[in-house]
Amino acid sequence: EASHSLPLSTNSRWIINEEGQRVKLACVNWASHLELVVAEGLTHQPVDVISKNIRDMGFNCVRLTWPLYLATNDSLASLTVRQSFVNAGLLDSISGLQANNPSIVDLSLINAFQTVVASLTSNNVMIILDNHLSKPGWCCSSSDGNGFFGDQYFNPDLWISGLTKMATLFQDNPNVIGMSLRNELRGPKQNANDWYMQRGAEAVHGANPNVLVILSGLSYDKDFTFLRKQPVSLSFTGKLVFETHWYAFTDGQSWKDGNPNQVCSRVRNNMMGLSGFLLDKGYPLFVSEWGIDLRGINDNDNRYLNCFLAWVVEHDLDYAFWTLVGSYYLREGVVGMNEYYGLLNSDWSQVRNSSFLERISITLTPLQGPGIQDRNKHKIIFNPLTGLCIQRTPMTPIGVQLGDCSQSNHWTYTPQQILGIKGSYFCLQAQGLNRPARLSLNCPGTGTRWATISDSKLHLSTSLSKSSNVCLDVDSSNNLITTTCKCLSNDNKCDPGSQWFKIVDAADTITTSVQTQQPQIM
C-alpha cells in the first residue's frame, strides 16, 4: 500500500500519489525528541517488531519526531546511544537495549535515527519527519525557550540549516514522504510577521523537492487566521500541507463541565474558523496530533472523542495519533514513565486498548478524494461512540443494526430528510418510543423524516405524532432504538454519545483490508 507510487503531492485539499489517486495518511506519532534523542521503546522491543506492529494495527505512516540539535550539534549527533543512556544515568536500561537492539546500542544518535527510518521503510510505513523542538526534552510550554523564532533555543538560521540537513539526509528515501517544519509554535514572542515557515519550506523543497512540506500555525498548532490576510507564497506548488492539533485539554475541562452538544458545536466551529477553513481554500489539513487517555476513565477525553471522530470522518482528514509510545525512557525526570495516551502498553508488548483500534478503523481508509469520489457516491451513517455504521440486518428484511462501516449499506439522504437504502424502496423508520428502528416501504410516512438537531447537529430526530419526537439511539447491546432525545438543554451531567450520528459522504473504496490484527505478543 505504501508502494503507493511515491512521491506524494497535493491536489486541492487531498494528498495524492503519482497516479493522481488519494492517499490517506493514517499515522501514529513515535517520539524521538526527548532527552536521550533515541526513538522510544527500543529497550523493550526490536525496532523491526515495533515497525511491523504499526502496520499490523492498520496505520500506514509515522510522524517521527526529532530535536533540531540532532541535525545541528555534531557533538550531540555523534554521541552513541549507549553514551546517551549513560549520561542520563539510565545504566539499567542498557541491558534491555542490548538484548532487543544489539545493532543499535553503539551507533551514533544520528545513525540510530536513520536505522529507525530504515526499519519503517522496510516495513512499508511512510515517514513524516517532525522537527518537534530544538533542545531535546519533553514538549511543550510557552516558556521553554523552544516556542518561537528568536527564543533562547530557537535560532531561525540554525533551524533552516537543520531542516536542510535532514531533508538532504533522507532525499533518496521515497518513504520519507513529508517534513513537518516545526511543532506547536507558541509563547510570548509569536506573531504573524516573524512566521518564517515560508523560508523553511523553500529550504526543505530546495534540498528535497519530493517531500510534502507541512506548516504549523500559531498558538500550539491551531491558529492560521493570519493567512486570510497574507496567504503563503512559495516558489513551488503541489507540496503544501498545513497541520493542526486538537485534544480535549485544548479546551480545559469544558467537555466535562459543559453540555457536550454545546461544547462540540462551539469547539468544532472554533477549529473550522482557526484552521479548518484551509480545506475550503484548497489545502490539505493534517491533524498531526490528537489522542485520549486509553484507559477510558477520563470523561473529558471520552466526550471529546465522540465529537472529534464525527469531525474527522465527516471531512475524511489525514492525521497522526498521539501516541504510539507505551512508556518513555525518561520524561520530565521520571524513568520509565507509563504513557496512558499510548497505543502500546508500558512494555510495548501489546495494544493497550484493542476496542479503541476497532472504533477508529473507519478513519484508516479513505472515504473521499481523487480516484474515489466518482465511484458510486453514497452516504454512510456513522456512530462515533461505537465506531460502527448502520446497516441492514442480514437475517430479516426490515431490520437494521450497527456493524463494520466497511460493510455499510449505501444510504441516501433526501431534501425531504428521508434516509433510504440506495437502489431500494426501503427507508429508515422509527416505530415508537424505546422500540427498535427498522426499515419501511412507507416513505415518506410517520417516523421516516430524520432531522439533524441540537447544537452539535449530531442527533437524528423524527416525529411520531404532533407532540412526540424521538431520537435514534444505541442501547447497551448495540441495538438501534429510538428514545427520548437527550442532553438538548444546558445539562452538563448528561452524555449524548449514544445518540450522536453523522451522515457522511463516502464512495466505493471502503475496503475490509484494515481488520486490525492484534500485534503478535512478543
Side-chain angles (χ1 to χ4, degrees):
E1 190 198 352
S3 54
H4 270 311
S5 56
L6 302 167
L8 304 180
S9 58
T10 64
N11 171 358
S12 180
R13 59 147 295 198
W14 307 107
I15 293 169
I16 57 170
N17 63 16
E18 291 268 75
E19 271 87 66
Q21 290 178 318
R22 164 98 197 267
V23 172
K24 178 160 188 181
L25 300 180
C27 316
V28 289
N29 280 279
W30 190 355
S32 186
H33 67 273
L34 277 78
E35 276 91 338
L36 277 79
V37 199
V38 177
E40 302 292 334
L42 301 186
T43 53
H44 290 294
Q45 298 294 339
V47 64
D48 276 331
V49 169
I50 298 172
S51 298
K52 181 178 181 301
N53 280 347
I54 291 167
R55 285 297 315 199
D56 287 348
M57 287 188 286
F59 300 97
N60 61 9
C61 155
V62 160
R63 179 178 181 247
L64 185 64
T65 65
W66 58 281
L68 187 65
Y69 291 178
L70 179 63
T72 58
N73 179 327
D74 289 339
S75 58
L76 176 67
S78 61
L79 205 64
T80 66
V81 172
R82 186 190 298 273
Q83 285 165 325
S84 187
F85 275 79
V86 169
N87 292 351
L90 300 186
L91 302 177
D92 295 348
S93 306
I94 297 173
S95 56
L97 203 60
Q98 187 84 53
N100 286 296
N101 290 286
S103 64
I104 292 180
V105 177
D106 293 306
L107 293 181
S108 67
L109 294 180
I110 190 67
N111 289 144
F113 187 85
Q114 288 170 280
T115 301
V116 171
V117 171
S119 168
L120 290 166
T121 300
S122 66
N123 282 280
N124 218 9
V125 179
M126 296 180 283
I127 301 116
I128 291 167
L129 300 177
D130 163 62
N131 174 223
H132 212 69
L133 32 55
S134 300
K135 180 176 183 266
W138 181 249
C139 188
C140 295
S141 89
S142 54
S143 58
D144 60 12
N146 282 293
F148 199 71
F149 304 102
D151 276 1
Q152 182 181 359
Y153 304 116
F154 196 175
N155 174 317
D157 297 325
L158 196 65
W159 174 69
I160 295 283
S161 95
L163 287 176
T164 305
K165 184 159 180 184
M166 280 306 237
T168 306
L169 191 59
F170 293 103
Q171 65 187 359
D172 296 328
N173 183 341
N175 270 54
V176 176
I177 53 105
M179 286 188 63
S180 179
L181 303 192
R182 186 72 174 198
N183 178 64
E184 296 196 351
L185 296 173
R186 61 193 179 276
K189 284 208 169 107
Q190 61 178 336
N191 69 89
N193 290 336
D194 298 329
W195 186 73
Y196 296 132
M197 284 283 158
Q198 293 169 192
R199 272 182 65 190
E202 295 288 359
V204 165
H205 185 77
N208 181 356
N210 286 328
V211 287
L212 298 171
V213 175
I214 305 170
L215 310 189
S216 56
L218 304 175
S219 302
Y220 292 86
D221 273 355
K222 286 199 311 289
D223 185 1
F224 286 104
T225 49
F226 60 96
L227 294 181
R228 293 178 190 271
K229 290 198 198 69
Q230 46 178 75
V232 174
S233 161
L234 296 170
S235 65
F236 58 93
T237 56
K239 292 289 180 181
L240 182 58
V241 175
F242 293 97
E243 65 178 308
T244 189
H245 291 179
W246 182 5
Y247 290 100
F249 55 73
T250 308
D251 299 281
Q253 291 293 309
S254 54
W255 294 97
K256 186 165 71 65
D257 297 341
N259 173 275
N261 279 310
Q262 294 169 338
V263 177
C264 182
S265 168
R266 175 171 59 77
V267 172
R268 186 182 59 212
N269 292 343
N270 188 36
M271 281 298 294
M272 291 308 287
L274 291 173
S275 48
F277 72 92
L278 291 163
L279 295 169
D280 298 326
K281 294 211 179 291
Y283 293 106
L285 185 64
F286 173 53
V287 188
S288 59
E289 286 187 27
W290 66 279
I292 61 160
D293 184 330
L294 288 168
R295 293 173 296 179
I297 58 180
N298 183 319
D299 284 344
N300 205 50
D301 278 3
N302 295 345
R303 291 176 173 191
Y304 140 90
L305 184 61
N306 291 328
C307 180
F308 177 83
L309 287 178
W311 180 71
V312 161
V313 173
E314 174 189 8
H315 297 288
D316 199 18
L317 293 167
D318 301 279
Y319 69 77
F321 179 81
W322 188 277
T323 173
L324 171 71
V325 172
S327 57
Y328 301 94
Y329 307 126
L330 178 66
R331 175 179 147 184
E332 300 168 291
V334 179
V335 176
M337 184 191 277
N338 198 340
E339 171 57 273
Y340 296 117
Y341 279 57
L343 285 171
L344 298 176
N345 63 3
S346 60
D347 67 4
W348 293 62
S349 63
Q350 53 194 347
V351 172
R352 190 178 286 274
N353 179 340
S354 55
S355 66
F356 174 77
L357 280 183
E358 288 160 22
R359 186 169 163 194
I360 65 167
S361 67
I362 186 178
T363 68
L364 297 170
T365 46
L367 302 173
Q368 306 168 39
I372 296 165
Q373 55 205 22
D374 307 328
R375 282 186 264 178
N376 207 349
K377 284 185 181 171
H378 57 275
K379 308 278 188 192
I380 56 179
I381 311 165
F382 171 63
N383 172 243
L385 179 68
T386 58
L388 301 174
C389 290
I390 300 181
Q391 60 193 49
R392 194 170 172 168
T393 314
M395 299 308 171
T396 71
I398 59 164
V400 282
Q401 63 185 30
L402 283 175
D404 187 328
C405 290
S406 65
Q407 276 127 46
S408 169
N409 294 90
H410 292 184
W411 293 84
T412 57
Y413 187 48
T414 69
Q416 294 76 41
Q417 300 181 317
I418 308 289
L419 277 168
I421 291 188
K422 197 173 175 178
S424 82
Y425 295 108
F426 283 111
C427 68
L428 187 66
Q429 182 185 40
Q431 300 185 78
L433 191 60
N434 301 320
R435 294 188 59 198
R438 65 168 192 180
L439 295 172
S440 169
L441 292 169
N442 183 21
C443 322
T446 305
T448 64
R449 292 176 188 269
W450 296 92
T452 53
I453 64 158
S454 83
D455 289 339
S456 68
K457 294 284 181 278
L458 291 171
H459 290 265
L460 287 172
S461 166
T462 188
S463 57
L464 298 171
S465 65
K466 281 201 171 65
S467 58
S468 153
N469 277 26
V470 289
C471 277
L472 200 58
D473 201 343
V474 182
D475 72 11
S476 55
S477 309
N478 279 0
N479 297 312
L480 283 162
I481 55 173
T482 49
T483 57
T484 305
C485 301
K486 55 191 185 192
C487 314
L488 302 187
S489 67
N490 287 333
D491 180 10
N492 67 343
K493 296 284 182 285
C494 179
D495 186 350
S498 66
Q499 286 189 347
W500 276 4
F501 291 87
K502 188 76 203 176
I503 301 170
V504 176
D505 289 320
D508 271 350
T509 55
I510 309 189
T511 59
T512 50
S513 63
V514 199
Q515 294 306 326
T516 45
Q517 302 114 338
Q518 287 305 313
Q520 295 310 303
I521 309 306
M522 276 45 83

